[in-house]
Amino acid sequence: MLNAFSQLMAQSGKGLFELTVNPQNESTTPVILCNGDFMAEIPVALGCEFSDLTLTGAMGTALPEGADLIDGGIELGVESRMCNAIKSACYYLESGKIRTPEMIITTNACCDSMDTLANLMNAYEPWAHVPRFIMDAPHTLDEESYAYFGRQLREAVTFFEGVLGRKMDWDRLREVCVESNKQSQLLLEFQELKKAVPCPAEPDLARQGTELSRWIKHRVSPEVTRWLEEVVRLTEQRVKEGKGIDGVDEKVRFLWQDLAGSWSTGTVLARLQKELGAVCVMDYVSYATWTPIDLASEEKMFASFAKRFLLEAAMTRQALHSTDLFIGDILRIVKEFRCDAVIMPAHVGHRDTNSRLKLVRDVCRENGIPCLVLGIDIWDKRFISPDVVFDRMSTFFQQTGLIAS
Amino acid sequence: MSDSIRPAALKALLTAAASLRNPELDAWTSAGGRVIGYYCPFIPEELFLAGGFLPFRMRGTGSTDTDQADAFFDHLNCPFVRHSFDLALRGDYSFLQGLVVGTGCDHLRRIYDNALHAPLEASFVYLLDHPRTMGSEEEGAEPIVRYYREQLSKLKEALENHFGVAVTVPALRAAISLCNETRRLQRRLYDLSVAPAPKVSASERAAVMMAGASMPKERYNALLSEALKELETAPETPGKALARLMIVGPAIEDPAFYEVFEEQGAAIVVDDTCFGARTVQALVDEEAPDPLTALAKYQVVDMPFCPKIGGSHAHRLRFIQEMVARYRVDGVIAQGYVSCDAWGCSYALLREAMQEAGIPYLRVEREYIHSESGQLSTRIQAFLETTGGRG
């Protein structure tokens, strides 16, 4: 089961890099480059490729030359303590390693680092001729905010049409949205299945599944839908059989309330489940709250897009908005996924999270949930090594009595 | 002009900035006046004035550590945010009845979340969402002005409901007029630095700018007007600075930071900072049919941009270049607190632009308290060598 997932993920990752980190890419499909996430359905319906420079930078940190990419970013003269995924992205950009896109679209979501990357992209001299569109993501969550952002997304379509010299095929967009809704439903089903005890699937599968449908080259395609159907079918089977993750004797279930980053999955999280039976059953990118895209009218469709972008895109949900929303999610996840503990990786680049740790700790304490704050760099293991993180988490689980000493 | 002959009005303004509380503020609160604290120049103080409040720009003056704030914020969070919040937790901001936080950056936004749960005296805590784009080529700035106008309208209603005040159109017009007068006066203050030997030092100018957001506006305007009359007619100061510098970056609300440069013989003749020249470049339209729209337009269109505004680099660079030309600047200092991601890539862009323009450039990453001033003074001396003493 897992091999099938890994294979597809490897292909997807390769596709992403081929798309962006390759200036010689001679693909004739127009590329839209963003500083972060965007509504994938729109570029797909327009027949464009879409790439996310932050994701490229983040994935770059997992490569053997990852540390050099980060250090190269620092040498450019950017803020020295900025998120290392962004430094890596800056280096990719400034060293001419990114294929020149046909269009650039940027937003201020979902953190200051991604916002400042947008500044660099928009001021990058060799791309001065590239048409660009800049959007403003509000920090508020109400119908007015969705309408405000939805209007900008609609305007972005007009912008794309102008550059491409062709009109949006609205029937095609609806078709893509139907596919997208199917995938969201499948991911929500997978999420439901992951609530089973023992946890039936690898910790990063939900995350990868989520990312796959949103961030990769073949997003919102029937191929991905079929893959997700297979994920759900196999997971359902495991739940029926009462099977947990292969080779894992589940003792502790925890929430990893941050991105998994480029190194933790294969090191810390894998060791924890294998050696201690401590399983990460949820993380904040995997946690999905999607509502279907409303296809009743064009206006409703764009309001749905806006809601997804502002409220339901994982990191935007957690980073751009209030601590009440963040904490509400933690409590909901802990309850629904029967978590024994909350791990706050507190990625050093996540200023928004690191400025609400007390509030998280207080709420966890009030609710009797053990909570550990790590303070790691999820993109750079030179900051705190995987072994140290493993030891700290192991000690924490032992001292809180979640596993035997 | 030596210290002994500084105008009394100027001294009063410097006193007002030297600590959080000042005699003018105390007089206001003693008379029952209410005070609203706010972060970020994108929040229009006119709205508070029109509601009968004294707007107070939040700062960390006098803070020596962040023990209490560190329970809320990580050590990698902005030191300015931590120090000012620490003062609030210690009760130094007990004179505030309200606190309005902007969405200027990730660090600032969380002051709002933390303030809601912290034991602060202020009964009114509000997060004001500010647009972070200049608008599109197709539609221009109209949609973002409209959006921000709505946000201001919501803040106005929240103030009215919470405090039982009425923020009327005539009161808003009067507040706009009052603040425009402040901007005109502050512009004249900056004009004093066009001369070969500026009649006010940068540390004094910074203090005067801060005083403007720390005391009743009418009184401030009167004092500044009086100080300017004396300064403008005072004889030219002999000699000239070793170099004329411009400082760029987020808020500098500690005049001592400027003093480190001045001690090395440099003159900071202009700046592009949150407390500084950026806030005096434009005026709010006093004749506009809707004062809230006029305020929104001023904040998101007319005031020079900071890097948090998407796509604003070219505009920002143009502003810096205009200041460099107008104030005959020899070198640019880009300063900022550690972890200031909102300015993250702008430093790299600025370095590149300054190199292309042949303008010496120095990047200074700093903590809130100037414990590193010795090291900084060495870097400044080396930097002044590169400016060639063109001042």
Side-chain angles (χ1 to χ4, degrees), chain A residues 75-76 78-81 112 115-116 119 136 138-140 142 144 148 155 319-321 323 351-352 354-356 358, chain B residues 71-74 76-77 105-106 109-110 113-114 129 131-133 136 144 147 154 307 339 341 344-345 348 351 365:
Chain A
E75 283 168 22
L76 293 172
V78 302
E79 206 288 313
S80 67
R81 298 191 196 179
D112 288 345
D115 198 7
T116 198
N119 275 342
D136 176 44
H139 294 76
T140 47
D142 50 29
E144 192 188 314
Y148 173 65
E155 208 189 328
L320 196 67
H321 301 297
T323 298
R351 321 297 190 201
D352 55 273
N354 295 340
S355 46
R356 56 187 174 194
K358 179 182 187 299
Chain B
F72 290 86
F73 292 92
D74 185 79
L76 289 176
N77 280 119
C105 71
D106 291 343
R109 277 191 292 123
R110 295 289 169 243
D113 298 82
N114 285 320
D129 188 29
R132 293 173 71 155
T133 174
S136 66
I144 54 169
Y147 177 78
K154 285 181 186 170
S339 306
D341 298 331
C345 291
R351 182 174 79 175
E365 205 169 46

Short mmCIF file of all heavy atoms in Angstrom, two decimals, chain A residues 75-76 78-81 112 115-116 119 136 138-140 142 144 148 155 319-321 323 351-352 354-356 358, chain B residues 71-74 76-77 105-106 109-110 113-114 129 131-133 136 144 147 154 307 339 341 344-345 348 351 365:
data_model
loop_
_atom_site.label_atom_id
_atom_site.label_comp_id
_atom_site.label_asym_id
_atom_site.label_seq_id
_atom_site.Cartn_x
_atom_site.Cartn_y
_atom_site.Cartn_z
N GLU A 75 23.19 35.03 2.02
CA GLU A 75 24.19 35.89 1.38
C GLU A 75 23.58 36.96 0.47
O GLU A 75 24.23 37.94 0.13
CB GLU A 75 25.18 35.03 0.60
CG GLU A 75 26.19 34.34 1.52
CD GLU A 75 26.99 33.26 0.82
OE1 GLU A 75 27.08 33.31 -0.41
OE2 GLU A 75 27.50 32.37 1.53
N LEU A 76 22.34 36.76 0.10
CA LEU A 76 21.68 37.78 -0.74
C LEU A 76 21.42 39.06 0.06
O LEU A 76 21.12 40.10 -0.52
CB LEU A 76 20.34 37.24 -1.26
CG LEU A 76 20.40 36.09 -2.25
CD1 LEU A 76 19.00 35.56 -2.51
CD2 LEU A 76 21.04 36.56 -3.55
N VAL A 78 19.13 39.12 2.75
CA VAL A 78 17.77 39.15 3.32
C VAL A 78 17.86 39.10 4.84
O VAL A 78 18.94 38.87 5.39
CB VAL A 78 16.91 37.98 2.80
CG1 VAL A 78 16.81 38.01 1.29
CG2 VAL A 78 17.46 36.63 3.27
N GLU A 79 16.75 39.27 5.51
CA GLU A 79 16.71 39.21 6.97
C GLU A 79 17.25 37.84 7.40
O GLU A 79 16.78 36.81 6.92
CB GLU A 79 15.25 39.40 7.43
CG GLU A 79 15.10 39.96 8.83
CD GLU A 79 15.46 38.98 9.92
OE1 GLU A 79 15.01 37.83 9.86
OE2 GLU A 79 16.21 39.37 10.83
N SER A 80 18.21 37.85 8.31
CA SER A 80 18.97 36.62 8.56
C SER A 80 18.18 35.53 9.27
O SER A 80 18.53 34.37 9.19
CB SER A 80 20.23 36.94 9.34
OG SER A 80 19.90 37.39 10.63
N ARG A 81 17.13 35.91 10.00
CA ARG A 81 16.38 34.88 10.74
C ARG A 81 15.06 34.51 10.07
O ARG A 81 14.19 33.92 10.67
CB ARG A 81 16.11 35.34 12.17
CG ARG A 81 17.39 35.57 12.94
CD ARG A 81 17.09 35.75 14.41
NE ARG A 81 18.22 36.33 15.09
CZ ARG A 81 18.23 36.63 16.38
NH1 ARG A 81 17.17 36.41 17.11
NH2 ARG A 81 19.29 37.16 16.94
N ASP A 112 4.51 36.63 6.78
CA ASP A 112 5.36 37.74 6.35
C ASP A 112 6.48 37.28 5.42
O ASP A 112 6.88 37.99 4.49
CB ASP A 112 6.00 38.43 7.57
CG ASP A 112 4.99 39.23 8.37
OD1 ASP A 112 3.89 39.48 7.86
OD2 ASP A 112 5.32 39.59 9.52
N ASP A 115 5.17 36.79 2.06
CA ASP A 115 4.84 38.12 1.58
C ASP A 115 6.09 38.83 1.04
O ASP A 115 6.10 39.43 -0.03
CB ASP A 115 4.24 38.90 2.75
CG ASP A 115 3.47 40.12 2.31
OD1 ASP A 115 3.29 40.28 1.10
OD2 ASP A 115 3.06 40.90 3.18
N THR A 116 7.17 38.70 1.79
CA THR A 116 8.39 39.39 1.36
C THR A 116 9.01 38.68 0.16
O THR A 116 9.65 39.30 -0.69
CB THR A 116 9.39 39.55 2.54
OG1 THR A 116 10.34 40.55 2.21
CG2 THR A 116 10.13 38.28 2.86
N ASN A 119 7.58 40.21 -2.74
CA ASN A 119 8.26 41.47 -3.09
C ASN A 119 9.47 41.20 -3.97
O ASN A 119 9.73 41.92 -4.94
CB ASN A 119 8.74 42.18 -1.81
CG ASN A 119 7.65 43.03 -1.19
OD1 ASN A 119 6.67 43.35 -1.85
ND2 ASN A 119 7.81 43.38 0.07
N ASP A 136 -4.74 40.84 -2.36
CA ASP A 136 -4.71 41.15 -0.94
C ASP A 136 -5.62 40.18 -0.20
O ASP A 136 -6.84 40.19 -0.41
CB ASP A 136 -5.19 42.59 -0.72
CG ASP A 136 -5.29 42.95 0.76
OD1 ASP A 136 -4.36 42.60 1.50
OD2 ASP A 136 -6.28 43.58 1.16
N PRO A 138 -7.46 39.31 3.03
CA PRO A 138 -7.81 39.96 4.30
C PRO A 138 -7.57 39.03 5.50
O PRO A 138 -7.53 37.81 5.33
CB PRO A 138 -9.30 40.26 4.15
CG PRO A 138 -9.79 39.29 3.15
CD PRO A 138 -8.64 39.00 2.23
N HIS A 139 -7.41 39.63 6.65
CA HIS A 139 -7.20 38.83 7.87
C HIS A 139 -8.52 38.57 8.58
O HIS A 139 -8.53 38.04 9.68
CB HIS A 139 -6.25 39.56 8.82
CG HIS A 139 -4.87 39.70 8.26
ND1 HIS A 139 -4.55 40.61 7.28
CD2 HIS A 139 -3.74 39.04 8.51
CE1 HIS A 139 -3.28 40.51 6.97
NE2 HIS A 139 -2.75 39.56 7.70
N THR A 140 -9.58 38.99 7.98
CA THR A 140 -10.89 38.82 8.60
C THR A 140 -11.62 37.66 7.92
O THR A 140 -11.32 37.32 6.76
CB THR A 140 -11.72 40.10 8.44
OG1 THR A 140 -11.61 40.53 7.07
CG2 THR A 140 -11.20 41.19 9.33
N ASP A 142 -15.36 36.76 7.16
CA ASP A 142 -16.80 36.94 7.14
C ASP A 142 -17.23 37.02 5.67
O ASP A 142 -16.39 36.98 4.77
CB ASP A 142 -17.24 38.19 7.93
CG ASP A 142 -16.45 39.43 7.53
OD1 ASP A 142 -16.00 39.50 6.36
OD2 ASP A 142 -16.27 40.33 8.36
N GLU A 144 -18.20 39.38 3.93
CA GLU A 144 -17.62 40.55 3.25
C GLU A 144 -16.18 40.26 2.79
O GLU A 144 -15.77 40.62 1.69
CB GLU A 144 -17.64 41.73 4.22
CG GLU A 144 -17.34 43.06 3.59
CD GLU A 144 -17.18 44.12 4.68
OE1 GLU A 144 -18.03 44.14 5.60
OE2 GLU A 144 -16.22 44.87 4.60
N TYR A 148 -14.76 40.19 -0.93
CA TYR A 148 -13.61 41.04 -1.27
C TYR A 148 -12.54 40.21 -1.98
O TYR A 148 -12.03 40.59 -3.04
CB TYR A 148 -13.07 41.66 0.01
CG TYR A 148 -11.78 42.44 -0.10
CD1 TYR A 148 -11.72 43.63 -0.85
CD2 TYR A 148 -10.62 42.02 0.56
CE1 TYR A 148 -10.53 44.35 -0.92
CE2 TYR A 148 -9.44 42.75 0.48
CZ TYR A 148 -9.39 43.91 -0.25
OH TYR A 148 -8.23 44.64 -0.32
N GLU A 155 -11.14 38.82 -10.80
CA GLU A 155 -10.34 39.77 -11.57
C GLU A 155 -9.06 39.09 -12.08
O GLU A 155 -8.58 39.39 -13.17
CB GLU A 155 -9.97 40.96 -10.67
CG GLU A 155 -9.76 42.25 -11.42
CD GLU A 155 -9.21 43.34 -10.52
OE1 GLU A 155 -9.52 43.36 -9.32
OE2 GLU A 155 -8.42 44.15 -11.03
N ALA A 319 -2.14 30.26 10.01
CA ALA A 319 -1.18 31.36 10.18
C ALA A 319 -1.80 32.74 10.06
O ALA A 319 -1.41 33.67 10.76
CB ALA A 319 -0.05 31.22 9.17
N LEU A 320 -2.75 32.88 9.15
CA LEU A 320 -3.23 34.23 8.84
C LEU A 320 -4.29 34.71 9.82
O LEU A 320 -4.53 35.90 9.95
CB LEU A 320 -3.80 34.24 7.41
CG LEU A 320 -4.01 35.59 6.73
CD1 LEU A 320 -2.68 36.26 6.46
CD2 LEU A 320 -4.78 35.45 5.42
N HIS A 321 -4.91 33.77 10.49
CA HIS A 321 -6.08 34.16 11.28
C HIS A 321 -5.87 34.06 12.78
O HIS A 321 -4.76 33.83 13.25
CB HIS A 321 -7.30 33.38 10.80
CG HIS A 321 -7.58 33.62 9.35
ND1 HIS A 321 -7.91 34.87 8.88
CD2 HIS A 321 -7.49 32.81 8.27
CE1 HIS A 321 -8.05 34.80 7.55
NE2 HIS A 321 -7.80 33.58 7.17
N THR A 323 -5.92 33.39 16.91
CA THR A 323 -5.50 32.30 17.79
C THR A 323 -6.70 31.48 18.23
O THR A 323 -6.59 30.28 18.47
CB THR A 323 -4.74 32.89 18.99
OG1 THR A 323 -3.58 33.55 18.48
CG2 THR A 323 -4.30 31.82 19.96
N ARG A 351 6.56 33.07 12.97
CA ARG A 351 6.36 34.11 14.00
C ARG A 351 4.93 34.11 14.54
O ARG A 351 4.70 34.39 15.69
CB ARG A 351 6.64 35.51 13.43
CG ARG A 351 7.78 35.62 12.47
CD ARG A 351 9.10 35.27 13.11
NE ARG A 351 10.19 35.62 12.22
CZ ARG A 351 11.40 35.11 12.28
NH1 ARG A 351 11.68 34.23 13.21
NH2 ARG A 351 12.33 35.48 11.44
N ASP A 352 3.99 33.83 13.62
CA ASP A 352 2.59 33.89 14.03
C ASP A 352 2.27 32.83 15.08
O ASP A 352 1.50 33.06 15.99
CB ASP A 352 1.70 33.68 12.79
CG ASP A 352 2.05 32.40 12.08
OD1 ASP A 352 2.96 32.41 11.22
OD2 ASP A 352 1.46 31.38 12.40
N ASN A 354 4.69 31.29 17.02
CA ASN A 354 5.55 31.44 18.19
C ASN A 354 5.12 32.59 19.09
O ASN A 354 5.67 32.76 20.18
CB ASN A 354 7.00 31.62 17.74
CG ASN A 354 7.51 30.38 17.05
OD1 ASN A 354 6.94 29.30 17.23
ND2 ASN A 354 8.55 30.50 16.27
N SER A 355 4.19 33.36 18.63
CA SER A 355 3.70 34.45 19.48
C SER A 355 2.36 34.09 20.11
O SER A 355 1.65 34.96 20.58
CB SER A 355 3.59 35.73 18.65
OG SER A 355 2.96 35.47 17.43
N ARG A 356 2.02 32.82 20.08
CA ARG A 356 0.79 32.43 20.78
C ARG A 356 0.98 31.12 21.55
O ARG A 356 0.01 30.42 21.84
CB ARG A 356 -0.38 32.34 19.81
CG ARG A 356 -0.17 31.40 18.64
CD ARG A 356 -1.32 31.56 17.68
NE ARG A 356 -1.14 30.82 16.47
CZ ARG A 356 -1.88 31.01 15.38
NH1 ARG A 356 -2.82 31.91 15.36
NH2 ARG A 356 -1.70 30.29 14.29
N LYS A 358 1.96 30.65 24.62
CA LYS A 358 1.42 30.68 25.99
C LYS A 358 -0.08 30.35 25.95
O LYS A 358 -0.56 29.58 26.78
CB LYS A 358 1.63 32.05 26.64
CG LYS A 358 1.07 32.11 28.05
CD LYS A 358 1.24 33.48 28.69
CE LYS A 358 0.83 33.47 30.15
NZ LYS A 358 -0.57 33.13 30.34
N ALA B 71 6.66 35.26 28.19
CA ALA B 71 5.73 34.15 28.42
C ALA B 71 4.77 34.04 27.23
O ALA B 71 4.29 32.95 26.90
CB ALA B 71 4.93 34.39 29.70
N PHE B 72 4.53 35.16 26.56
CA PHE B 72 3.59 35.18 25.44
C PHE B 72 4.29 35.04 24.10
O PHE B 72 3.77 34.44 23.17
CB PHE B 72 2.80 36.50 25.43
CG PHE B 72 1.82 36.63 26.56
CD1 PHE B 72 2.22 37.11 27.80
CD2 PHE B 72 0.50 36.25 26.39
CE1 PHE B 72 1.31 37.22 28.84
CE2 PHE B 72 -0.41 36.36 27.42
CZ PHE B 72 -0.01 36.84 28.66
N PHE B 73 5.45 35.69 23.99
CA PHE B 73 6.16 35.71 22.71
C PHE B 73 7.48 34.94 22.81
O PHE B 73 8.15 34.98 23.84
CB PHE B 73 6.47 37.16 22.30
CG PHE B 73 5.26 37.97 21.96
CD1 PHE B 73 4.61 38.72 22.93
CD2 PHE B 73 4.75 37.97 20.66
CE1 PHE B 73 3.48 39.46 22.62
CE2 PHE B 73 3.63 38.71 20.35
CZ PHE B 73 2.99 39.45 21.33
N ASP B 74 7.85 34.34 21.70
CA ASP B 74 9.11 33.62 21.63
C ASP B 74 10.27 34.63 21.52
O ASP B 74 10.07 35.77 21.10
CB ASP B 74 9.07 32.73 20.37
CG ASP B 74 10.27 31.85 20.24
OD1 ASP B 74 10.30 30.83 20.93
OD2 ASP B 74 11.17 32.19 19.46
N LEU B 76 12.38 34.75 19.39
CA LEU B 76 12.62 35.13 17.99
C LEU B 76 11.52 36.06 17.46
O LEU B 76 11.53 36.41 16.28
CB LEU B 76 12.70 33.88 17.11
CG LEU B 76 13.96 33.04 17.31
CD1 LEU B 76 13.90 31.78 16.47
CD2 LEU B 76 15.21 33.83 16.96
N ASN B 77 10.62 36.44 18.30
CA ASN B 77 9.64 37.44 17.88
C ASN B 77 10.25 38.84 18.00
O ASN B 77 11.22 39.05 18.74
CB ASN B 77 8.37 37.35 18.72
CG ASN B 77 7.46 36.23 18.25
OD1 ASN B 77 7.16 35.30 18.99
ND2 ASN B 77 7.03 36.29 17.00
N CYS B 105 2.05 43.10 10.56
CA CYS B 105 2.97 41.97 10.42
C CYS B 105 2.52 40.84 11.35
O CYS B 105 1.64 41.03 12.20
CB CYS B 105 4.41 42.39 10.71
SG CYS B 105 4.73 42.74 12.44
N ASP B 106 3.14 39.70 11.20
CA ASP B 106 2.75 38.52 11.99
C ASP B 106 2.94 38.76 13.49
O ASP B 106 2.15 38.26 14.30
CB ASP B 106 3.58 37.31 11.57
CG ASP B 106 3.23 36.83 10.17
OD1 ASP B 106 2.16 37.21 9.68
OD2 ASP B 106 4.03 36.09 9.58
N ARG B 109 0.19 41.32 14.84
CA ARG B 109 -1.16 40.76 14.88
C ARG B 109 -1.41 39.97 16.15
O ARG B 109 -2.50 39.95 16.69
CB ARG B 109 -1.39 39.86 13.67
CG ARG B 109 -1.79 40.59 12.43
CD ARG B 109 -2.25 39.62 11.37
NE ARG B 109 -1.18 38.80 10.86
CZ ARG B 109 -1.19 37.47 10.87
NH1 ARG B 109 -2.21 36.83 11.37
NH2 ARG B 109 -0.18 36.79 10.38
N ARG B 110 -0.34 39.29 16.61
CA ARG B 110 -0.53 38.45 17.79
C ARG B 110 -0.60 39.26 19.08
O ARG B 110 -0.99 38.72 20.12
CB ARG B 110 0.57 37.40 17.87
CG ARG B 110 0.54 36.41 16.73
CD ARG B 110 -0.64 35.46 16.83
NE ARG B 110 -0.78 34.70 15.60
CZ ARG B 110 -1.84 34.75 14.80
NH1 ARG B 110 -2.88 35.49 15.10
NH2 ARG B 110 -1.87 34.04 13.69
N ASP B 113 -4.21 39.03 19.81
CA ASP B 113 -4.63 37.77 20.43
C ASP B 113 -4.19 37.70 21.89
O ASP B 113 -4.96 37.28 22.76
CB ASP B 113 -4.02 36.57 19.69
CG ASP B 113 -4.48 36.50 18.26
OD1 ASP B 113 -3.90 37.23 17.43
OD2 ASP B 113 -5.41 35.76 17.96
N ASN B 114 -2.93 38.08 22.12
CA ASN B 114 -2.41 38.00 23.48
C ASN B 114 -3.07 39.03 24.40
O ASN B 114 -3.34 38.74 25.57
CB ASN B 114 -0.89 38.18 23.48
CG ASN B 114 -0.19 36.92 22.97
OD1 ASN B 114 -0.59 35.81 23.30
ND2 ASN B 114 0.83 37.09 22.16
N ASP B 129 -7.94 45.40 10.16
CA ASP B 129 -7.32 44.80 8.98
C ASP B 129 -6.99 45.87 7.95
O ASP B 129 -7.85 46.65 7.54
CB ASP B 129 -8.28 43.76 8.37
CG ASP B 129 -7.62 42.97 7.25
OD1 ASP B 129 -6.39 42.80 7.30
OD2 ASP B 129 -8.32 42.52 6.33
N PRO B 131 -5.39 46.69 4.13
CA PRO B 131 -5.03 46.05 2.85
C PRO B 131 -3.52 46.06 2.64
O PRO B 131 -2.84 47.00 3.05
CB PRO B 131 -5.72 46.91 1.80
CG PRO B 131 -6.74 47.69 2.52
CD PRO B 131 -6.24 47.86 3.92
N ARG B 132 -3.03 45.03 1.98
CA ARG B 132 -1.58 44.93 1.76
C ARG B 132 -1.26 44.85 0.28
O ARG B 132 -0.41 44.10 -0.15
CB ARG B 132 -1.03 43.74 2.53
CG ARG B 132 -1.13 43.98 4.03
CD ARG B 132 -0.76 42.79 4.85
NE ARG B 132 0.67 42.52 4.79
CZ ARG B 132 1.32 41.87 5.75
NH1 ARG B 132 0.71 41.46 6.81
NH2 ARG B 132 2.61 41.63 5.63
N THR B 133 -1.96 45.64 -0.50
CA THR B 133 -1.65 45.74 -1.92
C THR B 133 -1.95 47.15 -2.36
O THR B 133 -2.66 47.89 -1.68
CB THR B 133 -2.47 44.72 -2.73
OG1 THR B 133 -2.24 44.94 -4.11
CG2 THR B 133 -3.94 44.85 -2.47
N SER B 136 -5.00 46.79 -8.33
CA SER B 136 -4.58 46.22 -9.62
C SER B 136 -4.53 47.28 -10.69
O SER B 136 -5.11 48.36 -10.56
CB SER B 136 -5.58 45.13 -10.04
OG SER B 136 -6.83 45.72 -10.31
N ILE B 144 -9.58 48.65 -2.91
CA ILE B 144 -8.92 48.54 -1.60
C ILE B 144 -9.26 49.74 -0.72
O ILE B 144 -9.35 49.63 0.50
CB ILE B 144 -7.38 48.34 -1.69
CG1 ILE B 144 -6.73 49.41 -2.54
CG2 ILE B 144 -7.03 46.95 -2.17
CD1 ILE B 144 -5.22 49.40 -2.42
N TYR B 147 -12.57 48.83 0.61
CA TYR B 147 -12.44 47.80 1.64
C TYR B 147 -11.96 48.42 2.95
O TYR B 147 -12.51 48.14 4.02
CB TYR B 147 -11.47 46.71 1.18
CG TYR B 147 -11.24 45.64 2.24
CD1 TYR B 147 -12.19 44.65 2.47
CD2 TYR B 147 -10.10 45.65 3.03
CE1 TYR B 147 -12.01 43.69 3.45
CE2 TYR B 147 -9.90 44.69 4.02
CZ TYR B 147 -10.86 43.72 4.23
OH TYR B 147 -10.68 42.78 5.22
N LYS B 154 -16.17 49.96 10.60
CA LYS B 154 -16.42 48.98 11.66
C LYS B 154 -15.71 49.38 12.95
O LYS B 154 -16.26 49.23 14.05
CB LYS B 154 -15.92 47.59 11.23
CG LYS B 154 -16.81 46.91 10.21
CD LYS B 154 -16.23 45.54 9.87
CE LYS B 154 -17.00 44.88 8.76
NZ LYS B 154 -16.32 43.67 8.26
N PRO B 307 7.19 48.06 2.98
CA PRO B 307 7.32 46.83 2.19
C PRO B 307 6.19 45.84 2.35
O PRO B 307 6.08 44.92 1.56
CB PRO B 307 8.63 46.22 2.71
CG PRO B 307 9.33 47.27 3.42
CD PRO B 307 8.31 48.23 3.91
N SER B 339 14.50 39.44 13.05
CA SER B 339 13.25 38.73 12.80
C SER B 339 12.18 39.57 12.13
O SER B 339 11.01 39.19 12.13
CB SER B 339 12.66 38.14 14.09
OG SER B 339 13.61 37.34 14.75
N ASP B 341 10.50 40.03 9.34
CA ASP B 341 10.30 39.40 8.04
C ASP B 341 9.60 40.31 7.04
O ASP B 341 9.77 40.16 5.83
CB ASP B 341 9.49 38.11 8.19
CG ASP B 341 10.19 37.09 9.05
OD1 ASP B 341 11.44 37.11 9.07
OD2 ASP B 341 9.51 36.29 9.71
N GLY B 344 12.04 41.54 5.19
CA GLY B 344 13.01 40.50 4.86
C GLY B 344 13.76 40.66 3.55
O GLY B 344 14.98 40.85 3.53
N CYS B 345 13.05 40.57 2.42
CA CYS B 345 13.72 40.63 1.12
C CYS B 345 13.96 42.06 0.66
O CYS B 345 14.75 42.30 -0.26
CB CYS B 345 12.89 39.89 0.07
SG CYS B 345 12.86 38.12 0.32
N ALA B 348 17.56 43.06 0.68
CA ALA B 348 18.35 42.59 -0.46
C ALA B 348 18.09 43.47 -1.68
O ALA B 348 19.02 43.83 -2.42
CB ALA B 348 18.01 41.14 -0.76
N ARG B 351 19.75 46.88 -1.18
CA ARG B 351 21.21 46.80 -1.34
C ARG B 351 21.57 46.83 -2.83
O ARG B 351 22.46 47.57 -3.26
CB ARG B 351 21.73 45.50 -0.70
CG ARG B 351 23.24 45.36 -0.81
CD ARG B 351 23.74 44.15 -0.05
NE ARG B 351 23.55 42.92 -0.80
CZ ARG B 351 23.99 41.72 -0.40
NH1 ARG B 351 24.64 41.62 0.75
NH2 ARG B 351 23.79 40.65 -1.11
N GLU B 365 21.30 45.12 11.61
CA GLU B 365 20.27 44.28 12.21
C GLU B 365 20.43 44.44 13.72
O GLU B 365 21.54 44.27 14.24
CB GLU B 365 20.53 42.83 11.81
CG GLU B 365 19.32 41.95 11.83
CD GLU B 365 19.57 40.60 11.18
OE1 GLU B 365 20.60 39.96 11.46
OE2 GLU B 365 18.73 40.19 10.39
#
